[in-house]
Amino acid sequence: MIKRNTKQTVEAIRWKNERLEILDQRLLPSRFEYLTYNSAIEVAEGIRSMVVRGAPIIGCASAYGVALEALRLRTTTTSEFASAMDKAFKVLAKSRPTAINLFWALKRMHAIWQSATGLTSSEIADTLLYAAHQMLAEDYRVNRSMGTFGAKLISSNAKIFTYCNAGALATAGHGTALGIIRSAVEIGKKVSVTVSETRPFLQGARLTVWEMLQEKIPVTLITDNMTGYLMNRGEIDAVIVGTDRVAANGDVANKIGTYMVAVLAKRHNIPFYVACPLSSIDLTTPNGAAIPIEERNADEIASFHGYQWTTKEVNICNPAFDVTPVDLVTALITEKGIVKRPNSDSILRLFNS
Amino acid sequence: MIKRNTKQTVEAIRWKNERLEILDQRLLPSRFEYLTYNSAIEVAEGIRSMVVRGAPIIGCASAYGVALEALRLRTTTTSEFASAMDKAFKVLAKSRPTAINLFWALKRMHAIWQSATGLTSSEIADTLLYAAHQMLAEDYRVNRSMGTFGAKLISSNAKIFTYCNAGALATAGHGTALGIIRSAVEIGKKVSVTVSETRPFLQGARLTVWEMLQEKIPVTLITDNMTGYLMNRGEIDAVIVGTDRVAANGDVANKIGTYMVAVLAKRHNIPFYVACPLSSIDLTTPNGAAIPIEERNADEIASFHGYQWTTKEVNICNPAFDVTPVDLVTALITEKGIVKRPNSDSILRLFNS
């Protein structure tokens, strides 16, 4: 249903047999398995437990969660439908707190539902499913557009550092940060990528490495604490990362550790680019301090696949995101163009052009 | 044989039944097991494979390696003894390249051997074993002295960040960086410690956490990429780390990631202290660029305890150390006192006072 103008990349989520299928990213790269989702509650749990992760795609997944719920309720009365749908929106909104795309998508779906006056439950369900399909297709187009703009910033033979996974797996396809790298390669630029493992969930080691190897883009893996060492040796020319939320002033929330990368990039005069679809910008959040930071379970740090590598008694702190202040951001790369040295005014203009 | 003036901390190495026993730090904290060593080659392999790690203690271990070899050869002729001892020194010197304490210890042992003219092989062996015992005892005294000086820099209720493990496990006891924390606690200061896991070998998560819990010093574990986040939230008052080699100009080699911690500390105006016995200062290395950085096996990053968490095809970079330039160092804490804002002159004076 989604027309793509280049070779197909991996699908993090897909609509199949009237159900949502989500690629279980917790198992990559050892196993490639889709799980099937039938309701909003199930999708919320899939987002919470990080079967699917990445701001843009959890937005899309939550839209499908809304649609699934409506389909499930299509034979109910209008009042039953309304009450159950209200609950679905609430449970999805509680799945993860930081990525604004989730709330952006739910707000859009809610508005569509609210404006569907005079329709039967079944017709509303069809409308919401169509909207979810459209959102997925739009996310892909947005990534292609960011890729086209961003590729211009990449010089040939550039050694690019990226962090976590802002790739096809985090989006409807192509990726945000990795989409820019892919677009640069498509127009003939040679690039090599370094990614750090991104503890504790290892999105860099497990997901970004896997995506780059699939497309034969040269990739080197390091641990997170080696980033400064490589920068100091001149082995990084540019940093490109994704984002979970950009505040109105340009502060950037992204995977924990992004702030460290940005501080190190600044020290070494390396440009720090943020691939940022407009759906990730939240004009109602004035600055980074107002962005809620998710604290996740200590087990993610204490153990991996059942192996406990520290003592159980230790206190563990596990914030999933941090905030990079706007003064460390060289440019935002959006689907509407590049915003160098962003500020409140230039960000606001993106929405009025 | 070593008189200690406070409660006994863990022994990373110990002389028992005419053999060297080394605590296998690769198994901590799940298992507490000593391995027995009978020759220089075995000790070199124990150092290389990180059964024992930490600059001061690998210096002591190599001294015992020399002594073990001499004991093994005590019934040989003088020329056989000399030839085999030469090989022993060489194999020990090749075990790891970065920590200067290893070469410092071997140089001392070599000088003792060379000055033992007119002695039988058996008498030389006894002399070298005595020297190894003395070196271990001296390292402990040095750590106590650094602790006394360093504790003065720690304010009560300080939230201290440390990295990797510069504790009892890395030394003859008490520790360098952790020794300062222990000494501060001994004189009644309340401190809390945060340590990051220190990928890939997890010395922070496995060893420092374990040491602090043993002594009921409050400790919090984070991943390496969370350091900037905590500093930015005001949750770190001071950083104390150990070192593997300090160059003549004050540049500090230490566990990979230390440079990242120092850059972040600078940004947040947090003092960055290096616990540095004189045995870690190498006046023949002019600056950090001249310090050889060990590159270790990729498997340390690709997998843990047999679980492979990234694809085998990926290129992996695994430097074990990095260099923190002297301008990021607030003070060196040595057994002869504190050197604030160190430079070539103030470092040289340590050896002439």
Side-chain angles (χ1 to χ4, degrees):
Chain A
M1 142 229 345
I2 301 161
K3 193 158 176 292
R4 288 179 170 171
N5 56 3
T6 61
K7 66 173 181 251
Q8 175 72 6
T9 54
V10 63
E11 288 175 298
I13 68 174
R14 65 188 183 195
W15 187 252
K16 205 167 171 182
N17 304 324
E18 299 302 299
R19 293 292 174 265
L20 182 67
E21 291 190 349
I22 304 186
L23 178 62
D24 191 346
Q25 298 193 27
R26 300 169 305 181
L27 305 179
L28 287 173
S30 6
R31 279 153 62 198
F32 191 87
E33 285 177 22
Y34 282 89
L35 300 175
T36 305
Y37 290 80
N38 298 287
S39 69
I41 285 181
E42 287 179 11
V43 171
E45 177 55 22
I47 294 170
R48 192 205 60 75
S49 63
M50 295 173 72
V51 174
V52 62
R53 33 58 56 199
I57 199 64
I58 70 175
C60 296
S62 74
Y64 278 103
V66 169
L68 275 172
E69 198 66 13
L71 289 167
R72 212 169 66 81
L73 300 164
R74 66 193 312 164
T75 58
T76 57
T77 65
T78 309
S79 71
E80 280 173 335
F81 184 89
S83 154
M85 285 298 284
D86 261 337
K87 280 185 199 153
F89 276 102
K90 277 177 190 145
V91 72
L92 285 162
K94 279 185 185 164
S95 59
R96 295 194 74 188
T98 304
I100 195 65
N101 308 63
L102 179 73
F103 307 103
W104 171 88
L106 290 174
K107 198 173 159 192
R108 261 175 72 156
M109 295 299 278
H110 198 269
I112 290 165
W113 172 36
Q114 292 301 304
S115 65
T117 47
L119 300 186
T120 64
S121 300
S122 179
E123 286 165 338
I124 295 174
D126 289 340
T127 304
L128 290 172
L129 179 60
Y130 181 76
H133 289 335
Q134 277 193 310
M135 197 180 285
L136 194 69
E138 179 186 332
D139 185 61
Y140 182 75
R141 284 193 301 270
V142 161
N143 292 338
R144 297 291 323 179
S145 178
M146 276 192 292
T148 303
F149 284 116
K152 292 175 192 159
L153 293 174
I154 311 299
S155 54
S156 207
N157 297 310
K159 294 170 281 186
I160 299 170
F161 181 84
T162 189
Y163 188 63
C164 193
N165 174 270
L169 288 165
T171 62
H174 200 60
T176 59
L178 296 191
I180 290 162
I181 292 167
R182 285 188 166 100
S183 292
V185 170
E186 280 175 15
I187 59 171
K189 291 183 180 176
K190 277 193 155 182
V191 298
S192 61
V193 173
T194 298
V195 63
S196 73
E197 52 184 16
T198 318
R199 286 282 294 145
F201 208 68
L202 299 163
Q203 292 95 331
R206 297 189 302 107
L207 309 178
T208 293
V209 162
W210 183 79
E211 282 199 33
M212 293 294 92
L213 286 174
Q214 294 279 311
E215 305 190 19
K216 303 198 185 336
I217 297 172
V219 59
T220 298
L221 173 65
I222 59 171
T223 56
D224 302 325
N225 50 3
M226 294 173 187
T227 311
Y229 174 82
L230 284 196
M231 288 181 175
N232 193 44
R233 285 166 61 103
E235 293 183 31
I236 307 292
D237 299 322
V239 173
I240 312 178
V241 298
T243 177
D244 289 82
R245 188 186 305 205
V246 171
N249 75 334
D251 289 350
V252 173
N254 192 43
K255 180 52 52 196
I256 186 76
T258 304
Y259 172 56
M260 164 196 83
V261 175
V263 169
L264 289 167
K266 181 81 168 184
R267 179 174 168 96
H268 298 95
N269 294 312
I270 295 167
F272 181 87
Y273 299 122
V274 178
C276 169
L278 265 60
S279 58
S280 293
I281 300 174
D282 180 19
L283 296 177
T284 69
T285 300
N287 54 48
I291 300 175
I293 300 295
E294 179 182 13
E295 177 80 21
R296 291 185 65 86
N297 197 294
D299 282 347
E300 289 183 354
I301 292 180
S303 60
F304 192 77
H305 279 262
Y307 188 88
Q308 179 93 12
W309 59 40
T310 189
T311 46
K312 286 197 173 146
E313 294 74 21
V314 67
N315 179 43
I316 287 176
C317 178
N318 186 12
F321 302 94
D322 62 23
V323 173
T324 298
V326 64
D327 64 283
L328 298 178
V329 177
T330 307
L332 299 178
I333 301 168
T334 80
E335 68 268 35
K336 287 202 178 173
I338 290 157
V339 185
K340 288 189 180 162
R341 297 278 159 222
N343 58 43
S344 309
D345 291 341
S346 58
I347 288 172
L348 193 58
R349 275 199 299 276
L350 286 168
F351 292 87
N352 299 328
S353 60
Chain B
M1 140 227 351
I2 301 160
K3 193 156 176 293
R4 288 180 168 172
N5 57 2
T6 61
K7 66 174 181 254
Q8 174 73 6
T9 55
V10 63
E11 288 175 297
I13 67 174
R14 64 189 183 195
W15 188 253
K16 205 168 170 181
N17 305 324
E18 299 301 299
R19 293 292 174 263
L20 183 67
E21 292 189 349
I22 304 185
L23 178 62
D24 191 346
Q25 297 193 29
R26 300 169 305 181
L27 306 179
L28 286 173
S30 4
R31 279 153 60 198
F32 191 86
E33 284 178 22
Y34 282 88
L35 301 176
T36 304
Y37 291 80
N38 298 288
S39 69
I41 286 182
E42 285 179 12
V43 172
E45 177 56 22
I47 294 171
R48 192 204 59 75
S49 63
M50 294 172 74
V51 174
V52 62
R53 32 60 54 200
I57 199 64
I58 70 175
C60 296
S62 73
Y64 278 104
V66 169
L68 275 173
E69 198 66 13
L71 289 168
R72 213 169 64 82
L73 300 165
R74 65 194 312 163
T75 58
T76 58
T77 65
T78 309
S79 71
E80 280 172 336
F81 184 89
S83 154
M85 285 298 285
D86 261 338
K87 280 185 198 153
F89 276 102
K90 277 179 189 144
V91 72
L92 285 162
K94 279 185 184 165
S95 58
R96 294 195 73 188
T98 304
I100 194 64
N101 308 63
L102 179 73
F103 307 103
W104 171 87
L106 290 174
K107 199 172 159 193
R108 260 174 72 154
M109 295 299 278
H110 198 268
I112 290 165
W113 172 35
Q114 292 301 304
S115 66
T117 46
L119 300 186
T120 64
S121 300
S122 179
E123 286 165 337
I124 295 174
D126 289 341
T127 305
L128 290 172
L129 179 60
Y130 181 75
H133 289 335
Q134 278 193 309
M135 197 180 286
L136 194 68
E138 179 185 333
D139 185 61
Y140 181 76
R141 284 193 301 270
V142 161
N143 292 337
R144 297 290 324 179
S145 179
M146 277 192 292
T148 303
F149 284 117
K152 292 175 191 159
L153 294 173
I154 310 300
S155 53
S156 206
N157 297 309
K159 294 170 281 185
I160 300 169
F161 182 84
T162 188
Y163 187 63
C164 193
N165 174 270
L169 289 166
T171 62
H174 200 60
T176 59
L178 296 191
I180 291 163
I181 292 167
R182 285 188 167 101
S183 292
V185 170
E186 280 175 14
I187 59 172
K189 290 183 179 177
K190 277 193 153 180
V191 298
S192 61
V193 173
T194 298
V195 63
S196 74
E197 52 184 18
T198 318
R199 286 281 295 143
F201 209 68
L202 299 163
Q203 292 94 331
R206 297 189 301 107
L207 309 179
T208 294
V209 161
W210 183 78
E211 282 199 34
M212 294 293 92
L213 286 175
Q214 294 279 311
E215 305 190 21
K216 304 199 184 337
I217 297 173
V219 58
T220 298
L221 173 64
I222 58 170
T223 57
D224 301 325
N225 51 3
M226 293 173 187
T227 311
Y229 174 82
L230 284 197
M231 287 182 177
N232 193 45
R233 285 166 61 104
E235 294 184 30
I236 308 293
D237 299 322
V239 173
I240 312 178
V241 298
T243 177
D244 289 81
R245 187 185 306 204
V246 171
N249 75 335
D251 288 351
V252 173
N254 192 43
K255 180 52 51 196
I256 187 74
T258 303
Y259 172 56
M260 163 197 84
V261 175
V263 168
L264 289 167
K266 180 81 165 183
R267 179 173 169 97
H268 299 94
N269 294 312
I270 295 168
F272 181 86
Y273 299 121
V274 178
C276 170
L278 265 61
S279 59
S280 293
I281 300 174
D282 180 19
L283 296 176
T284 69
T285 300
N287 54 48
I291 300 175
I293 300 295
E294 178 182 12
E295 177 80 21
R296 291 185 64 86
N297 196 293
D299 282 347
E300 289 183 354
I301 292 180
S303 60
F304 192 77
H305 279 263
Y307 188 88
Q308 179 93 12
W309 58 39
T310 187
T311 46
K312 286 197 173 145
E313 294 74 21
V314 67
N315 179 43
I316 286 176
C317 179
N318 186 12
F321 302 94
D322 61 22
V323 173
T324 298
V326 63
D327 64 282
L328 298 178
V329 177
T330 307
L332 299 179
I333 301 168
T334 81
E335 69 269 35
K336 287 204 178 172
I338 290 158
V339 184
K340 288 189 180 164
R341 297 278 159 222
N343 58 44
S344 309
D345 292 341
S346 58
I347 288 172
L348 192 58
R349 274 200 298 276
L350 286 168
F351 291 87
N352 299 329
S353 60

